[in-house]
Amino acid sequence: MAHEVLHPCIFLDLFVQVRQTSRTKFCFLFFLVSFGINRASFTNTSDDQLLYLGFTGANLITDDTTVVTSNGLLELTNGTVNRKGHAFYPSPLHFRKSHNYKVHSFSVSFVFAIRSSYPRMSLHGLAFVVSPSTNFSNALANQYLGFLNSQNKGKASNYILAIEFDTVLNIEFEDIDNNHVGIDINDLHSVKSHSAGYYDDRNSSFQNMSLISGDPMQAWVDYNGEDKKISVTMAPIKMAKPTRPLISMSYDLSTVLKEPSYIGFSASTGAADSRHYILGWSFGMNNLAPMININKLPKLPYQGSNPRSKLLAITLPIASATFVILLCSVFIIIVRRRLRYAELKEDWEVEFGPHRFSYKDLFHATHGFDNKHLLGAGGFGKVYKGVLPSSKLEVAVKRVSHESRQGMKEFVAEVVSIGRIRHRNIVQLLGYCRRKGELLLVYDYMKNGSLDIYLYNDELKPTLSWDQRFRIIKGIASGLFYLHDKWEKVVIHRDIKASNVLLDTEMNGRLGDFGLARLYDHGTDLQTTHVVGTMGYLAPELVCTGKASPLTDVFAFGAFLLEVTCGQRPVKHSSQDNPGVLVDWVLEHWQKGLLTNTVDARLQGDYNIDEACSVLKLGLLCSHPFTNMRPNMQQVMQYLDGDVPLPELTHMDMSFNIVSLMQDEGFNPYTLSYPPSGTSIGTISNISGGR
Ligand SMILES: Nc1ncnc2c1ncn2[C@@H]1O[C@H](COP(=O)(O)OP(=O)(O)OP(=O)(O)O)[C@@H](O)[C@H]1O
Ligand SMILES: *[C@@H]1O[C@H](CO)[C@@H](O)[C@H](O)[C@H]1NC(C)=O
Ligand SMILES: *[C@@H]1O[C@H](CO)[C@@H](O)[C@H](O)[C@H]1NC(C)=O
């Protein structure tokens, strides 16, 4: 009578022994099977069935390399060379009623797979074994499939039946090939064998199968005790059992098997690191072996993770590591480039596209804004010399820091608009670029630098002759005239001064630095803004009202005329005998009739007195505190060209003093004369302020 131990377990492993005599119990067991409850039972009676769908928790006699993997595969050999492995049902089975009786009918079914790291070789194979003992310690791990050795092979005292799945052609045993199935009685010299495969049910044709394909396949062994016939069948895993067996022969196993005998598996590796797996196993004594539900079997390891060649095993990790490193570095490079060359771009800028420079180009043009390429620094930012990578054009790049603000769109529109101005006395603005907190303006590069260096820095540059000065004055007048009257819009420069006058290779004066300029459409009201400009060039009404107009430019131009002729800055550090503002100083001399005393001493008297005097007088007129006294740029041009004589200045007209005027406005040019070099005051936020 059976005694039973029931314990719950989850689906994987099912081992069932059924006593067919009890129908209700049979049904109960199928209930257990289908609900995944593991039932371990033991019986001495002969009519038994057993079923393993995976081997997790299975009680088997195993030795050497044999283990049950974590997912339930029975791994007879584990990929180590010269190893054997065995797994046997723990208790021996009674194959006959008693010693003198014939062997019962029985049937076996199992699903197995053979894996090897070599694509076309695997050693040695596996076998289903019926044996009176489970001690195979004396068996060899090579050609004897792990259950015999050279001493005991062929001896009737072995009492062994084995169904071999042999992957080696062994001449000693007269093997037919290296991929065959054989019935072995006490010996590895098969009684009958056949190449692995099956007979197709549809047309009876033989279909080859490769034992070492690595794929799971199913085998059936059936013994009929009445007819004394043994047959072996195999098929791919998804296929039903073919009706025609692969091998079939008559043999009375009563002459072979001892009572009782164990059933199980044996495998060996020899010189190859093969793995022999059993996925599922069923057995029936006087019964059919229960059907093996393929879907409930454990999964074999993924073939890809079982590298097929040593070379691949080494190169694959290296290659993938290299690939990952490469990917990471590319990513880092891209991110770094993104950050380094990051720009600010908005939708409204699309129309200005052609005037927009890429930050990357400007970065490379100036060698990363290297100080070696620094041309100078003004009130708004540093100016760098650069060579555009594509066109090899020499440019000056002005780097202005700014906070993002609403006026930007208008400002860029102005920049682009100014960029269209072409005049021989105007430094061309080529375009712009925007980054976070930064605006870059790109100008034509002027080889001979700015005028103030020639006027005030004798060590660096030679003094300019009167002719050169007069030419520059006329050029700047013509440029300013163009901005005020000839261009499609009134452009007010706002920051005329010697340091914003640049000299080209022919020593022509060119108006530069449009960073501060504001545009006005013809006819519209002048707009209020913060004071922007440079001390000494600022018209009194501009200081007072903050309104820039063409006439405030004329005022600054007047200061510039005096500056160039006298070779002195419009505002100087005050001293007792020298008033701080150049206009007042020249005016005093004019009133005393000593105008020529104000002309730059460095000319050493070598100048045209008429020209110099009329330039000085024109300078005073332009810098007149009353706007209605100032000429416009067209008149200035006519006076300079000598087409129209300069109006006679009366002492009445010219009795003013800029310093006291400014002081009346609450504006002290002495205290505000710093910085002395005449850098613009105001910040870029003033440019478009007040809108
Ligand atoms: N297009 C250019 N070509 C050659 N050199 C230039 C060019 N633009 C400017 N520079 C040089 O860079 C220096 C600085 O110019 P920037 O206009 O910024 O300063 P600034 O005129 O002295 O002061 P501010 O910004 O107050 O007008 C100039 O003195 C000049 O020498
Ligand atoms: C295989 O099993 C043997 C015996 O248990 C063990 O020594 C060896 O380390 C195992 N090899 C692998 C690759 O698991
Ligand atoms: C101005 O530039 C030209 C060309 O670069 C040069 O030949 C000339 O000497 C320069 N003039 C002065 C005054 O530096």
PDB file of all heavy atoms in Angstrom, residues 505-524:
ATOM      1  N   THR A 505      43.417 100.234 -44.959  1.00  0.00           N
ATOM      2  CA  THR A 505      44.794 100.166 -45.458  1.00  0.00           C
ATOM      3  C   THR A 505      45.217 101.450 -46.162  1.00  0.00           C
ATOM      4  O   THR A 505      46.390 101.794 -46.181  1.00  0.00           O
ATOM      5  CB  THR A 505      44.960  98.985 -46.426  1.00  0.00           C
ATOM      6  OG1 THR A 505      43.870  98.999 -47.334  1.00  0.00           O
ATOM      7  CG2 THR A 505      45.001  97.672 -45.686  1.00  0.00           C
ATOM      8  N   GLU A 506      44.254 102.182 -46.732  1.00  0.00           N
ATOM      9  CA  GLU A 506      44.611 103.441 -47.403  1.00  0.00           C
ATOM     10  C   GLU A 506      44.497 104.632 -46.461  1.00  0.00           C
ATOM     11  O   GLU A 506      44.452 105.779 -46.913  1.00  0.00           O
ATOM     12  CB  GLU A 506      43.690 103.642 -48.619  1.00  0.00           C
ATOM     13  CG  GLU A 506      43.987 102.667 -49.749  1.00  0.00           C
ATOM     14  CD  GLU A 506      42.714 102.182 -50.432  1.00  0.00           C
ATOM     15  OE1 GLU A 506      41.670 102.885 -50.336  1.00  0.00           O
ATOM     16  OE2 GLU A 506      42.753 101.101 -51.037  1.00  0.00           O
ATOM     17  N   MET A 507      44.404 104.365 -45.193  1.00  0.00           N
ATOM     18  CA  MET A 507      44.282 105.404 -44.173  1.00  0.00           C
ATOM     19  C   MET A 507      43.021 106.244 -44.335  1.00  0.00           C
ATOM     20  O   MET A 507      42.980 107.417 -43.960  1.00  0.00           O
ATOM     21  CB  MET A 507      45.533 106.300 -44.139  1.00  0.00           C
ATOM     22  CG  MET A 507      46.800 105.556 -43.740  1.00  0.00           C
ATOM     23  SD  MET A 507      46.706 104.814 -42.116  1.00  0.00           S
ATOM     24  CE  MET A 507      46.992 106.239 -41.083  1.00  0.00           C
ATOM     25  N   ASN A 508      41.972 105.629 -44.896  1.00  0.00           N
ATOM     26  CA  ASN A 508      40.675 106.290 -44.906  1.00  0.00           C
ATOM     27  C   ASN A 508      40.039 106.122 -43.545  1.00  0.00           C
ATOM     28  O   ASN A 508      40.147 105.050 -42.941  1.00  0.00           O
ATOM     29  CB  ASN A 508      39.731 105.640 -45.928  1.00  0.00           C
ATOM     30  CG  ASN A 508      40.141 105.959 -47.353  1.00  0.00           C
ATOM     31  OD1 ASN A 508      40.369 107.126 -47.687  1.00  0.00           O
ATOM     32  ND2 ASN A 508      40.252 104.933 -48.178  1.00  0.00           N
ATOM     33  N   GLY A 509      39.362 107.168 -43.079  1.00  0.00           N
ATOM     34  CA  GLY A 509      38.632 107.044 -41.824  1.00  0.00           C
ATOM     35  C   GLY A 509      37.317 106.320 -42.059  1.00  0.00           C
ATOM     36  O   GLY A 509      36.632 106.533 -43.059  1.00  0.00           O
ATOM     37  N   ARG A 510      37.008 105.433 -41.193  1.00  0.00           N
ATOM     38  CA  ARG A 510      35.732 104.721 -41.287  1.00  0.00           C
ATOM     39  C   ARG A 510      35.046 104.735 -39.938  1.00  0.00           C
ATOM     40  O   ARG A 510      35.654 104.419 -38.921  1.00  0.00           O
ATOM     41  CB  ARG A 510      35.950 103.267 -41.695  1.00  0.00           C
ATOM     42  CG  ARG A 510      36.255 103.099 -43.174  1.00  0.00           C
ATOM     43  CD  ARG A 510      36.542 101.644 -43.448  1.00  0.00           C
ATOM     44  NE  ARG A 510      36.894 101.414 -44.822  1.00  0.00           N
ATOM     45  CZ  ARG A 510      36.125 100.704 -45.651  1.00  0.00           C
ATOM     46  NH1 ARG A 510      34.989 100.182 -45.233  1.00  0.00           N
ATOM     47  NH2 ARG A 510      36.510 100.519 -46.889  1.00  0.00           N
ATOM     48  N   LEU A 511      33.780 105.032 -39.937  1.00  0.00           N
ATOM     49  CA  LEU A 511      33.003 105.021 -38.710  1.00  0.00           C
ATOM     50  C   LEU A 511      32.720 103.578 -38.302  1.00  0.00           C
ATOM     51  O   LEU A 511      32.220 102.798 -39.114  1.00  0.00           O
ATOM     52  CB  LEU A 511      31.672 105.731 -38.939  1.00  0.00           C
ATOM     53  CG  LEU A 511      31.559 107.154 -38.426  1.00  0.00           C
ATOM     54  CD1 LEU A 511      30.175 107.690 -38.764  1.00  0.00           C
ATOM     55  CD2 LEU A 511      31.803 107.234 -36.931  1.00  0.00           C
ATOM     56  N   GLY A 512      33.064 103.287 -37.075  1.00  0.00           N
ATOM     57  CA  GLY A 512      32.819 101.918 -36.627  1.00  0.00           C
ATOM     58  C   GLY A 512      31.922 101.879 -35.418  1.00  0.00           C
ATOM     59  O   GLY A 512      31.370 102.897 -35.005  1.00  0.00           O
ATOM     60  N   ASP A 513      31.779 100.685 -34.877  1.00  0.00           N
ATOM     61  CA  ASP A 513      31.067 100.478 -33.621  1.00  0.00           C
ATOM     62  C   ASP A 513      29.617 100.908 -33.665  1.00  0.00           C
ATOM     63  O   ASP A 513      29.222 101.883 -33.055  1.00  0.00           O
ATOM     64  CB  ASP A 513      31.808 101.188 -32.486  1.00  0.00           C
ATOM     65  CG  ASP A 513      31.468 100.580 -31.137  1.00  0.00           C
ATOM     66  OD1 ASP A 513      30.648  99.628 -31.115  1.00  0.00           O
ATOM     67  OD2 ASP A 513      32.003 101.029 -30.128  1.00  0.00           O
ATOM     68  N   PHE A 514      28.845 100.137 -34.412  1.00  0.00           N
ATOM     69  CA  PHE A 514      27.429 100.444 -34.478  1.00  0.00           C
ATOM     70  C   PHE A 514      26.643  99.778 -33.368  1.00  0.00           C
ATOM     71  O   PHE A 514      25.441  99.769 -33.364  1.00  0.00           O
ATOM     72  CB  PHE A 514      26.845 100.025 -35.831  1.00  0.00           C
ATOM     73  CG  PHE A 514      27.211 100.980 -36.895  1.00  0.00           C
ATOM     74  CD1 PHE A 514      28.365 100.828 -37.630  1.00  0.00           C
ATOM     75  CD2 PHE A 514      26.395 102.071 -37.138  1.00  0.00           C
ATOM     76  CE1 PHE A 514      28.709 101.730 -38.595  1.00  0.00           C
ATOM     77  CE2 PHE A 514      26.740 102.978 -38.106  1.00  0.00           C
ATOM     78  CZ  PHE A 514      27.902 102.811 -38.844  1.00  0.00           C
ATOM     79  N   GLY A 515      27.371  99.200 -32.441  1.00  0.00           N
ATOM     80  CA  GLY A 515      26.688  98.502 -31.355  1.00  0.00           C
ATOM     81  C   GLY A 515      25.723  99.400 -30.612  1.00  0.00           C
ATOM     82  O   GLY A 515      24.780  98.935 -29.991  1.00  0.00           O
ATOM     83  N   LEU A 516      25.962 100.685 -30.689  1.00  0.00           N
ATOM     84  CA  LEU A 516      25.139 101.600 -29.909  1.00  0.00           C
ATOM     85  C   LEU A 516      24.111 102.339 -30.751  1.00  0.00           C
ATOM     86  O   LEU A 516      23.300 103.086 -30.230  1.00  0.00           O
ATOM     87  CB  LEU A 516      26.046 102.624 -29.225  1.00  0.00           C
ATOM     88  CG  LEU A 516      27.065 102.009 -28.271  1.00  0.00           C
ATOM     89  CD1 LEU A 516      28.078 103.051 -27.856  1.00  0.00           C
ATOM     90  CD2 LEU A 516      26.354 101.442 -27.077  1.00  0.00           C
ATOM     91  N   ALA A 517      24.213 102.186 -32.018  1.00  0.00           N
ATOM     92  CA  ALA A 517      23.365 103.006 -32.879  1.00  0.00           C
ATOM     93  C   ALA A 517      21.889 102.638 -32.742  1.00  0.00           C
ATOM     94  O   ALA A 517      21.524 101.516 -32.483  1.00  0.00           O
ATOM     95  CB  ALA A 517      23.801 102.850 -34.321  1.00  0.00           C
ATOM     96  N   ARG A 518      21.071 103.631 -32.919  1.00  0.00           N
ATOM     97  CA  ARG A 518      19.625 103.402 -32.922  1.00  0.00           C
ATOM     98  C   ARG A 518      19.088 103.874 -34.253  1.00  0.00           C
ATOM     99  O   ARG A 518      19.614 104.785 -34.891  1.00  0.00           O
ATOM    100  CB  ARG A 518      18.971 104.214 -31.801  1.00  0.00           C
ATOM    101  CG  ARG A 518      19.238 103.626 -30.437  1.00  0.00           C
ATOM    102  CD  ARG A 518      18.509 102.323 -30.240  1.00  0.00           C
ATOM    103  NE  ARG A 518      17.093 102.497 -30.482  1.00  0.00           N
ATOM    104  CZ  ARG A 518      16.242 102.832 -29.517  1.00  0.00           C
ATOM    105  NH1 ARG A 518      16.664 103.025 -28.311  1.00  0.00           N
ATOM    106  NH2 ARG A 518      14.966 102.998 -29.794  1.00  0.00           N
ATOM    107  N   LEU A 519      18.088 103.249 -34.681  1.00  0.00           N
ATOM    108  CA  LEU A 519      17.523 103.623 -35.970  1.00  0.00           C
ATOM    109  C   LEU A 519      16.204 104.359 -35.785  1.00  0.00           C
ATOM    110  O   LEU A 519      15.458 104.073 -34.877  1.00  0.00           O
ATOM    111  CB  LEU A 519      17.237 102.372 -36.799  1.00  0.00           C
ATOM    112  CG  LEU A 519      18.422 101.514 -37.164  1.00  0.00           C
ATOM    113  CD1 LEU A 519      17.935 100.295 -37.893  1.00  0.00           C
ATOM    114  CD2 LEU A 519      19.387 102.302 -38.010  1.00  0.00           C
ATOM    115  N   TYR A 520      15.963 105.325 -36.647  1.00  0.00           N
ATOM    116  CA  TYR A 520      14.666 105.991 -36.635  1.00  0.00           C
ATOM    117  C   TYR A 520      14.147 106.004 -38.050  1.00  0.00           C
ATOM    118  O   TYR A 520      14.868 106.289 -38.983  1.00  0.00           O
ATOM    119  CB  TYR A 520      14.798 107.430 -36.143  1.00  0.00           C
ATOM    120  CG  TYR A 520      15.299 107.489 -34.737  1.00  0.00           C
ATOM    121  CD1 TYR A 520      16.638 107.682 -34.465  1.00  0.00           C
ATOM    122  CD2 TYR A 520      14.389 107.322 -33.690  1.00  0.00           C
ATOM    123  CE1 TYR A 520      17.096 107.712 -33.168  1.00  0.00           C
ATOM    124  CE2 TYR A 520      14.854 107.354 -32.388  1.00  0.00           C
ATOM    125  CZ  TYR A 520      16.194 107.553 -32.134  1.00  0.00           C
ATOM    126  OH  TYR A 520      16.641 107.591 -30.845  1.00  0.00           O
ATOM    127  N   ASP A 521      12.899 105.685 -38.179  1.00  0.00           N
ATOM    128  CA  ASP A 521      12.292 105.831 -39.497  1.00  0.00           C
ATOM    129  C   ASP A 521      12.153 107.318 -39.773  1.00  0.00           C
ATOM    130  O   ASP A 521      11.954 108.110 -38.870  1.00  0.00           O
ATOM    131  CB  ASP A 521      10.915 105.176 -39.516  1.00  0.00           C
ATOM    132  CG  ASP A 521      11.045 103.676 -39.508  1.00  0.00           C
ATOM    133  OD1 ASP A 521      11.969 103.176 -40.182  1.00  0.00           O
ATOM    134  OD2 ASP A 521      10.248 103.020 -38.818  1.00  0.00           O
ATOM    135  N   HIS A 522      12.295 107.676 -41.039  1.00  0.00           N
ATOM    136  CA  HIS A 522      12.122 109.076 -41.415  1.00  0.00           C
ATOM    137  C   HIS A 522      10.759 109.550 -40.957  1.00  0.00           C
ATOM    138  O   HIS A 522       9.760 108.878 -41.149  1.00  0.00           O
ATOM    139  CB  HIS A 522      12.213 109.240 -42.943  1.00  0.00           C
ATOM    140  CG  HIS A 522      13.627 109.231 -43.421  1.00  0.00           C
ATOM    141  ND1 HIS A 522      14.485 110.276 -43.248  1.00  0.00           N
ATOM    142  CD2 HIS A 522      14.332 108.272 -44.065  1.00  0.00           C
ATOM    143  CE1 HIS A 522      15.665 109.981 -43.770  1.00  0.00           C
ATOM    144  NE2 HIS A 522      15.590 108.757 -44.274  1.00  0.00           N
ATOM    145  N   GLY A 523      10.738 110.679 -40.320  1.00  0.00           N
ATOM    146  CA  GLY A 523       9.459 111.294 -39.985  1.00  0.00           C
ATOM    147  C   GLY A 523       8.919 110.925 -38.618  1.00  0.00           C
ATOM    148  O   GLY A 523       8.085 111.640 -38.082  1.00  0.00           O
ATOM    149  N   THR A 524       9.348 109.829 -38.052  1.00  0.00           N
ATOM    150  CA  THR A 524       8.787 109.481 -36.744  1.00  0.00           C
ATOM    151  C   THR A 524       9.491 110.250 -35.646  1.00  0.00           C
ATOM    152  O   THR A 524      10.602 110.735 -35.817  1.00  0.00           O
ATOM    153  CB  THR A 524       8.916 107.981 -36.454  1.00  0.00           C
ATOM    154  OG1 THR A 524      10.282 107.637 -36.516  1.00  0.00           O
ATOM    155  CG2 THR A 524       8.097 107.168 -37.423  1.00  0.00           C
TER     156      THR A 524
END
